[in-house]
C-alpha cells in the first residue's frame, strides 16, 4: 500500500512492485527495458530491491511493531473473547491472526492495527473507516464482518475464518491457472466489485494478495484504502488531493496521475491486470490507450482462450478510463457469456449461483400468509407454486416523505438482479417491471383502485409478482414484501418485515433481496415442494445447502456420511429442525441408537421452532425408540394426513409393514409419486412397495415393482433379491434359475450377494410349497457358493449369516447352530445373531437355549418377542408362541416382511393356532402340517 504525491516516487514504486514479482535474473533486463535513459532510476530501484531483500521488506516496516510483541499484547487484551492461535500475515498497518472465539467456539480472523500506524497515513482513521465499510458490505464473495472494537489501545476487527490461500500464493505455486478455474475466480471477484460499487465503495487496492481462494471460489479482502462515493457513506478526507493510493503495480494510470479524479473504473483496470496475471502468470509489459496490445499478447500466450474473454480483459486494461467497460456488473455479465467449450457458459452461471448460495445468510422464517375474506387475493397455506416469469414491482413509499421515493425503485431493481442470479425462474427485466409499476401509480393517481398483482401480470406477462411497501415506525424504516401467484391470485408467502434505522434503507433492501433469493430457490426445488417444514420456514441458504448435501448422501443410502451434513445444517440455523429428524433416522439406520437419543434432546431444546407436523415426527421417532410400534404408527399417520404428498407417507408405509399392516402400507405408497418430490431418487420406496405387494399376495405386481427398481437403480443389488423372491413365491422356478445365472458375474462382496439371492429364493419355494425340491437345490447351491467365498474371506459376516440361514432352511440344525453361535460370540451386541443361536440351540434340545437371548434394549422389544415366540414354538408351547408373535408385531418388528419365509419351520410348529398368527407371518398361505408330522424332516438334509 503506497501513499505519495511525487510522480518520480510513483514511478519508482511502480517499477519496484513489478520487479518484486520477477526472479533476480530477470530484474536487470526488466529495469534496462523500463528505464533505458534513466540509469539513476535503475540504480535507485535496484537499491530498494536490495534493501527489501536484506530485511523484512521496506514497504512493511515503517509502521509495524515486532509481530511477537503485538501478538502477546493482543492476546492479553482480548483474552476474554478470543484465543489467538497463529499469525496469518503482516502488513504495513496491521497484523492478521487466526483466533478461536470463546463464545461460539469457532475460528475467526483478527485484524489488529499496529499501535504506531496512527502516525502514518492517517492510520487510525483509515482503519476505523475500513471497519465501517466492512460492516456495511454483505456479499457472498466479500469477506464478512463479525465484530470490531478497541482493547488496551489496540484497534481490531473480526472476520470469519475461511480455509484457503491468497491468490498470490496460488499463482506462485501454480503459475498460470486453468481457464475453467480462472473464469470462476474472476467471476466471483467481478460480482463482489459490482456489489461494492453499487454500495458506492471503490476498493482501489485490488491485487492477488487481497483475493482469498477457498476451494473453487474467490473472496475479496481488505477495504483499507477503499474510497466511498455514496452519500450514504460519507468519506472522511484521509488523503490529500492528488495522492495516489494503492499498490503501484495494480494502479490504473489515473491513480498515478497527480490531481486526477478516480472512480470505480480503477477497480476494473486492476481486475484486468488480475485476469491477465491469472491466465499468463505475469503482468502485461506494454499497455495501450485502448488495451489492444495487451489483448494481442494475451492471445499469443493463451491461444485457447476465447476471444470474448481476451477482448473483455483488454478493454479493462485500456489506459483511457472511458474505453473500459462502464461498470463491474457489465464485466460479470459478459463473463457469464464466455464459453470455453459447448455448454460452459451455463456451467459457469450455475457455479456462480452455487457459490453465492453456499455463503449467503438469510432470515430463517418465511411464513405462509392469509388475507381476510375481503382481500383481493385468495391466500392459503398450501405449497408454494412459483410460475415464471417473476416480476418485482417498485415498492410503495408509505412514509409520507417524498425524499425516500427512490428506495422503492432501487429495491425493485436490486431484487430483480438477485433473482436473475438465482436463475431458477425467468425474470421480467426491471425496465418492464418498472413500467408496469408506474401504470399502477398512474391509475391510483386517477382515482382508480387497481389490483397491482393483476395489473402487473397484464402489463408484463408475469406468472409470479413480488410487491411491497415501506413505512416509518418511530426512527426506523420498515420494509415488507409479498410473493403472489398472479395466475391463481393468491399469496404464496411473505418474509417477515425488515426494520432498520432511517438512514440505513440500503441495508433493508439488501436483506430483502437476500431473503427473497433464498425463498425462491427453496420453493423452486421440486424435491422439497411437498416438504411442509421447508415450505413454512425455509432455513438460511447455507444451512439449506448443507441439508441438500445430506439429502444426496441419504438418497444414496450413505447414512453415515449424511449424518454430519444434517447436523451441520442444524448448527448453521438453530431454527432448522428438519435435518435433525433426518439425522435421527439415519442414526437409527446405522444402529447408533444412543446418538438418536442425543439428537432428540437437541430437538427438545428447540421446541419453540416445532410446528404440529414436526412434533408428530418427533413423537413417531420417540415411540419407535421405546419399541411402541402402534403408537409410532399413530403419530406418523397423523403427520401424513396433515401433509399430503410429504415423506411422512413413506414413513407411514414402512411403520405399517413393521406392525402387520401391509394393506395400509400399500395404500400409503400408492399415494406417493416416487419420481417427484422428496422421494425422487429414493430406491427404498420400491423395496417397501415390493414388501407390501408380497405380503398381500400380489406377486405379479411385486415382480413389476422389483424390476422397476432394477431399471431405475441398477446398482441396488436388493432389487435382484426382491425379484428372485417374487418369482419364487409365484412358483416360477425356471425364471428364478435364469435370474440367478445372469448374476454370476456380479461382485460377491456385498450383503445382497448371489448367495443371499439363492437363500431367499430357496426359503420362499419351501415356504410357499410350490417346489420344495427346487428350493432345497437352491439352498445347497447357496451353501456351496458361500463356502467358496468364505475360503477367500473367512471373516465376512454377511456370507456367514446367509450360510447359517441356508442350513436352517434345510433343517440342518447342527451346522446352523455352529454358524450362529460363532456370530453371536463375535458380535454379542447383535440380537439377531443371539436369537438365531438360541433357536438353533433349541432345535438341538438345549434346555437353556432361551438364556442365549440375553436382554434387549427398548427399541428391539418387538424383535426380542419374536425370537421368544420362535423358541416357544420349537418346544411345543403353541399358545405362548402365538401370543408372543402377536406382541412382536404390536411392538414393531423391523424386517417383518422377510420373516414368513426365514422363520417358516418355527411358525408351522404352532399347529392349530396357525390362523391366529399375524397376517404377515402367514404370507406363504400354507396350512400347517398335522401334529404328527411337525417334527419330521420335510426337506432332505444335504450330505455333510
Amino acid at each position: 500500500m503506497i501513499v505519495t504525491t511525487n510522480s518520480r516516487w510513483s514511478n519508482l514504486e511502480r517499477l519496484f512492485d513489478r520487479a518484486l514479482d520477477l526472479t533476480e535474473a530477470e530484474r536487470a533486463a526488466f529495469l534496462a527495458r523500463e528505464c533505458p535513459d534513466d540509469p539513476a532510476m535503475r540504480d535507485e530501484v535496484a537499491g530498494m530491491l536490495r534493501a527489501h531483500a536484506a530485511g523484512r521488506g521496506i514497504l512493511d516496516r515503517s509502521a509495524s511493531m515486532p509481530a511477537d510483541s503485538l501478538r502477546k499484547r493482543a492476546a492479553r487484551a482480548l483474552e476474554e473473547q478470543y484465543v489467538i492461535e497463529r499469525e496469518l500475515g503482516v502488513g504495513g498497518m496491521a497484523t492478521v491472526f487466526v483466533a478461536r472465539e470463546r463464545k461460539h467456539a469457532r475460528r475467526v480472523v483478527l485484524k489488529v492495527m499496529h499501535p504506531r500506524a496512527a502516525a502514518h497515513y492517517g492510520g487510525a482513521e483509515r482503519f476505523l473507516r475500513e471497519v465501517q465499510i466492512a460492516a456495511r458490505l454483505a456479499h457472498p464473495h466479500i469477506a464478512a464482518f463479525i465484530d470490531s472494537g478497541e482493547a488496551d489501545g489496540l484497534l481490531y476487527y473480526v472476520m470469519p475464518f475461511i480455509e484457503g490461500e491468497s491468490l498470490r500464493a496460488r499463482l506462485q505455486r501454480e503459475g498460470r491457472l486453468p481457464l475453467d478455474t480462472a473464469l470462476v475466480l474472476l467471476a466471483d471477484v467481478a460480482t463482489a466489485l459490482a456489489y461494492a460499487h453499487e454500495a458506492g465503495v471503490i476498493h482501489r487496492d485490488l491485487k492477488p494478495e487481497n483475493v482469498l481462494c477457498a476451494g473453487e471460489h474467490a473472496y475479496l479482502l481488505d477495504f483499507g484504502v477503499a474510497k466511498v462515493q455514496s452519500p450514504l457513506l460519507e468519506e472522511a478526507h484521509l488523503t490529500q488531493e492528488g495522492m495516489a493510493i494503492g499498490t503501484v503495480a495494480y494502479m490504473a494510470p489515473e491513480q498515478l496521475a497527480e490531481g486526477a479524479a478516480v472512480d470505480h473504473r480503477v477497480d476494473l483496470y486492476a481486475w484486468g491486470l488480475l485476469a491477465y496475471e491469472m491466465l499468463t502468470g505475469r503482468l502485461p509489459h506494454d499497455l495501450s490507450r485502448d488495451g489492444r496490445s495487451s489483448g494481442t499478447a494475451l492471445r499469443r500466450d493463451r491461444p485457447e482462450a476465447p476471444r470474448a474473454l481476451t477482448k473483455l480483459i483488454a478493454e479493462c486494461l485500456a489506459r483511457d478510463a472511458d474505453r473500459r467497460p462502464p461498470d463491474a456488473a457489465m464485466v460479470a455479465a459478459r463473463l457469464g457469456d464466455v464459453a470455453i467449450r459447448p455448454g460452459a457458459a451455463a456451467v459457469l452461471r450455475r457455479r456462480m449461483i452455487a457459490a453465492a448460495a453456499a455463503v449467503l445468510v438469510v432470515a430463517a422464517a418465511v411464513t405462509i400468509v392469509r388475507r381476510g375474506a375481503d382481500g383481493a387475493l385468495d391466500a392459503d397455506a398450501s405449497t408454494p407454486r412459483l410460475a415464471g416469469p417473476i416480476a418485482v414491482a417498485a415498492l410503495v413509499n408509505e412514509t409520507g416523505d417524498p425524499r425516500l421515493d427512490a428506495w422503492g425503485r432501487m429495491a425493485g431493481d436490486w431484487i430483480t438482479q438477485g433473482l436473475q442470479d438465482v436463475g431458477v425462474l425467468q425474470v421480467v427485466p426491471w425496465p418492464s417491471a418498472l413500467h408496469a409499476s408506474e401504470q399502477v401509480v398512474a391509475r391510483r393517481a386517477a382515482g382508480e383502485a387497481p389490483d397491482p398483482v393483476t395489473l402487473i401480470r397484464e402489463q408484463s406477462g408475469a406468472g409470479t409478482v413480488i410487491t411491497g411497501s415501506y413505512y416509518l415506525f418511530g426512527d426506523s424504516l420498515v420494509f415488507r414484501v409479498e410473493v403472489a401467484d398472479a395466475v391463481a391470485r393468491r399469496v404464496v408467502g411473505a418474509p417477515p418485515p425488515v426494520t432498520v434505522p432511517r438512514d440505513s434503507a440500503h441495508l433493508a433492501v439488501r436483506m430483502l433481496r437476500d431473503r427473497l433469493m433464498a425463498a425462491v430457490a427453496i420453493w423452486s426445488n421440486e424435491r422439497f415442494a411437498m416438504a411442509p417444514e421447508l415450505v413454512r420456514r425455509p432455513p438460511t441458504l447455507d444451512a439449506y445447502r448443507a441439508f441438500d448435501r445430506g439429502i444426496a448422501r441419504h438418497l444414496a443410502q450413505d447414512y453415515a456420511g449424511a449424518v454430519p451434513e444434517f447436523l451441520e445444517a442444524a448448527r448453521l440455523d438453530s431454527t432448522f429442525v428438519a435435518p435433525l429428524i433426518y439425522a435421527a433416522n439415519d442414526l437409527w439406520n446405522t444402529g447408533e441408537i444412543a446418538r438418536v437419543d442425543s439428537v432428540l434432546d437437541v430437538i427438545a431444546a428447540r421446541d419453540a421452532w416445532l410446528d404440529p407436523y414436526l412434533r408428530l415426527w418427533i413423537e413417531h421417532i420417540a415411540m419407535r425408540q421405546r419399541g411402541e410400534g402402534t403408537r409410532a404408527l399413530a403419530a406418523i399417520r397423523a403427520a401424513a394426513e396433515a401433509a399430503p404428498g410429504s415423506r411422512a407417507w413413506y414413513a407411514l408405509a414402512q411403520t405399517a409393514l413393521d406392525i402387520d399392516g401391509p394393506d395400509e402400507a400399500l395404500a400409503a405408497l400408492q399415494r406417493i409419486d416416487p419420481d417427484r418430490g422428496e422421494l425422487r431418487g429414493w430406491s427404498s420406496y420400491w423395496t417397501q412397495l415390493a414388501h407390501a405387494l408380497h405380503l398381500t399376495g400380489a406377486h405379479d405386481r411385486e415382480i413389476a415393482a422389483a424390476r422397476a427398481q432394477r431399471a431405475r437403480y441398477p446398482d441396488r443389488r436388493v432389487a435382484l433379491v426382491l425379484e428372485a423372491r417374487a418369482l419364487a413365491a409365484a412358483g416360477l422356478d425356471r425364471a428364478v434359475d435364469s435370474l440367478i445365472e445372469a448374476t454370476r458375474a456380479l461382485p460377491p462382496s456385498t450383503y445382497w450377494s448371489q448367495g443371499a439371492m439363492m437363500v431367499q429364493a430357496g426359503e420362499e419355494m419351501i415356504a410357499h410349497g410350490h417346489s420344495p425340491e427346487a428350493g432345497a437345490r437352491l439352498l445347497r447351491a447357496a451353501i456351496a457358493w458361500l463356502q467358496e467365498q468364505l475360503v477367500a474371506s473367512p471373516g465376512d459376516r454377511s456370507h456367514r449369516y446367509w450360510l447359517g440361514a441356508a442350513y436352517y432352511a434345510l433343517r440342518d440344525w447342527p451346522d446352523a447352530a455352529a454358524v450362529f453361535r460363532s456370530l453371536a460370540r463375535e458380535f454379542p451386541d447383535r440380537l439377531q445373531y443371539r436369537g438365531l443361536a438360541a433357536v438353533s440351540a433349541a432345535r438341538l434340545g438345549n434346555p437353556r437355549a432361551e438364556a442365549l437371548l440375553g436382554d434387549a434394549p427398548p427399541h428391539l422389544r418387538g424383535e426380542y418377542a419374536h425370537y421368544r415366540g420362535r423358541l416357544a414354538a420349537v418346544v411345543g408351547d403353541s399358545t405362548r408362541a402365538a401370543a408372543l408373535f402377536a406382541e412382536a408385531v404390536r411392538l414393531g418388528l423391523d424386517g417383518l416382511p422377510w420373516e414368513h419365509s426365514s422363520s417358516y419351520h418355527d411358525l408351522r410348529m404352532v399347529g392349530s393356532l396357525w390362523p391366529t398368527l399375524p397376517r404377515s407371518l402367514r404370507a406363504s398361505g400354507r396350512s400347517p402340517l398335522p401334529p404328527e408330522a411337525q417334527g419330521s424332516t420335510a426337506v432332505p438334509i444335504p450330505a455333510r
Side-chain angles (χ1 to χ4, degrees), residues 459-473:
Q459 293 284 326
S460 67
T464 301
V465 176
I466 297 175
T467 58
S469 61
Y470 51 104
Y471 53 90
L472 286 171
F473 184 79

Side-chain angles (χ1 to χ4, degrees), residues 164-219:
E165 62 180 342
S166 72
L167 178 58
R168 171 62 67 210
R170 186 163 185 174
L171 289 171
Q172 288 174 343
R173 188 181 75 253
E174 297 183 21
R176 64 186 198 173
L177 303 182
L179 278 174
D180 274 354
T181 301
L183 273 171
V184 174
L185 297 177
L186 288 169
D188 292 343
V189 174
T191 56
L193 288 174
Y195 175 84
H197 294 170
E198 285 179 3
V201 177
I202 308 168
H203 191 282
R204 292 200 295 187
D205 198 24
L206 179 60
K207 57 185 177 180
E209 288 81 355
N210 286 338
V211 176
L212 175 69
C213 297
E216 294 183 335
H217 296 289
Y219 302 84

Side-chain angles (χ1 to χ4, degrees), residues 870-888:
R870 291 179 66 173
L871 287 168
V874 168
V875 300
D877 190 345
S878 299
T879 301
R880 182 167 178 261
L884 285 166
F885 288 138
E887 180 184 2

Side-chain angles (χ1 to χ4, degrees), residues 801-939:
Y801 163 75
W802 287 113
L803 179 63
Y807 283 136
Y808 200 90
L810 286 172
R811 304 183 71 178
D812 181 353
W813 317 130
D815 279 345
V819 172
F820 292 133
R821 186 167 56 245
S822 67
L823 284 170
R825 184 169 56 249
E826 292 176 44
F827 306 99
D829 59 321
R830 290 293 300 273
L831 177 59
Q832 181 186 35
Y833 299 155
R834 301 201 312 269
L836 292 169
V839 174
S840 300
R843 285 288 187 179
L844 295 175
N846 185 335
R848 301 189 67 254
E850 189 164 350
L852 298 175
L853 271 178
D855 297 321
H859 72 282
L860 294 180
R861 290 197 300 156
E863 185 176 355
Y864 188 73
H866 179 70
Y867 282 116
R868 292 178 63 211
R870 291 179 66 173
L871 287 168
V874 168
V875 300
D877 190 345
S878 299
T879 301
R880 182 167 178 261
L884 285 166
F885 288 138
E887 180 184 2
V889 298
R890 179 184 64 79
L891 297 173
L893 177 55
D894 188 23
L896 177 58
W898 304 103
E899 290 297 336
H900 69 282
S901 59
S902 62
S903 305
Y904 178 69
H905 292 310
D906 304 334
L907 294 170
R908 299 200 70 192
M909 299 292 286
V910 298
S912 62
L913 293 180
W914 171 272
T916 69
L917 294 181
R919 177 184 178 184
S920 298
L921 296 179
R922 294 181 287 110
S924 66
R926 294 185 65 190
S927 301
L929 292 171
E932 63 273 12
Q934 288 179 7
S936 65
T937 302
V939 179

Side-chain angles (χ1 to χ4, degrees), residues 539-870:
T540 61
L541 263 181
D542 49 353
Y544 166 73
R545 286 185 59 80
F547 178 66
D548 202 33
R549 291 194 300 271
I551 288 293
R553 290 182 176 272
H554 172 82
L555 291 174
Q557 298 190 347
D558 176 13
Y559 304 126
V563 168
E565 298 287 6
F566 290 140
L567 296 179
E568 173 69 2
R571 184 191 68 78
L572 289 168
D573 185 344
S574 61
T575 71
F576 195 17
V577 182
L580 292 173
I581 293 174
Y582 271 95
N585 275 313
D586 284 356
L587 287 168
W588 172 283
N589 291 334
T590 57
E592 297 186 69
I593 305 305
R595 291 187 66 194
V596 175
D597 288 330
S598 68
V599 171
L600 291 177
D601 290 341
V602 174
I603 294 173
R606 301 185 180 188
D607 183 73
W609 303 110
L610 294 177
D611 60 23
Y613 172 79
L614 292 178
R615 290 182 192 280
L616 289 167
W617 260 103
I618 303 309
E619 183 180 354
H620 164 71
I621 296 172
M623 291 301 103
R624 196 171 59 179
Q625 283 286 91
R626 289 165 50 179
E628 296 284 354
T630 53
R631 294 178 65 183
L633 178 65
I636 201 63
R637 184 188 292 129
E641 290 170 352
S646 72
R647 72 178 183 276
W649 287 97
Y650 173 81
L652 167 61
Q654 192 175 33
T655 308
L657 286 171
D658 289 348
I659 66 166
D660 196 35
D663 290 320
E664 183 173 12
L666 183 58
L669 291 166
Q670 289 173 335
R671 292 187 57 137
I672 304 169
D673 184 345
D675 297 318
R676 294 186 61 236
E678 292 179 273
L679 290 189
R680 178 166 55 84
W682 181 235
S683 66
S684 292
Y685 167 88
W686 299 94
T687 302
Q688 303 306 323
L689 180 62
H691 285 334
L693 292 167
H694 187 85
L695 296 179
T696 55
H699 299 309
D700 289 346
R701 293 171 62 195
E702 178 190 3
I703 294 169
R707 288 174 176 170
Q709 184 178 31
R710 281 183 62 192
R712 285 172 168 81
Y713 309 100
D715 60 330
R716 303 301 300 164
R717 292 284 293 274
V718 69
L720 291 166
V721 178
L722 293 170
E723 185 175 348
R725 178 185 70 172
L727 292 169
L732 302 174
D733 302 357
R734 292 185 180 179
V736 173
D737 290 341
S738 177
L739 180 64
I740 291 172
E741 181 62 30
T743 63
R744 290 195 182 280
L746 294 177
S749 56
T750 177
Y751 179 82
W752 295 115
S753 64
Q754 187 185 48
M757 188 189 315
M758 290 189 283
V759 173
Q760 190 61 51
E763 288 178 344
E764 285 290 329
M765 287 179 177
I766 293 171
H768 287 266
H770 295 307
S771 179
E773 296 79 11
R777 174 177 52 79
L778 275 178
L779 290 167
R780 286 193 290 271
I783 289 171
W785 187 93
L786 291 162
Q787 287 175 334
E788 181 181 353
Q789 299 303 320
L790 286 168
V791 170
S793 305
D796 190 300
R797 183 164 45 160
S798 299
H799 291 336
R800 292 164 67 192
Y801 163 75
W802 287 113
L803 179 63
Y807 283 136
Y808 200 90
L810 286 172
R811 304 183 71 178
D812 181 353
W813 317 130
D815 279 345
V819 172
F820 292 133
R821 186 167 56 245
S822 67
L823 284 170
R825 184 169 56 249
E826 292 176 44
F827 306 99
D829 59 321
R830 290 293 300 273
L831 177 59
Q832 181 186 35
Y833 299 155
R834 301 201 312 269
L836 292 169
V839 174
S840 300
R843 285 288 187 179
L844 295 175
N846 185 335
R848 301 189 67 254
E850 189 164 350
L852 298 175
L853 271 178
D855 297 321
H859 72 282
L860 294 180
R861 290 197 300 156
E863 185 176 355
Y864 188 73
H866 179 70
Y867 282 116
R868 292 178 63 211
R870 291 179 66 173

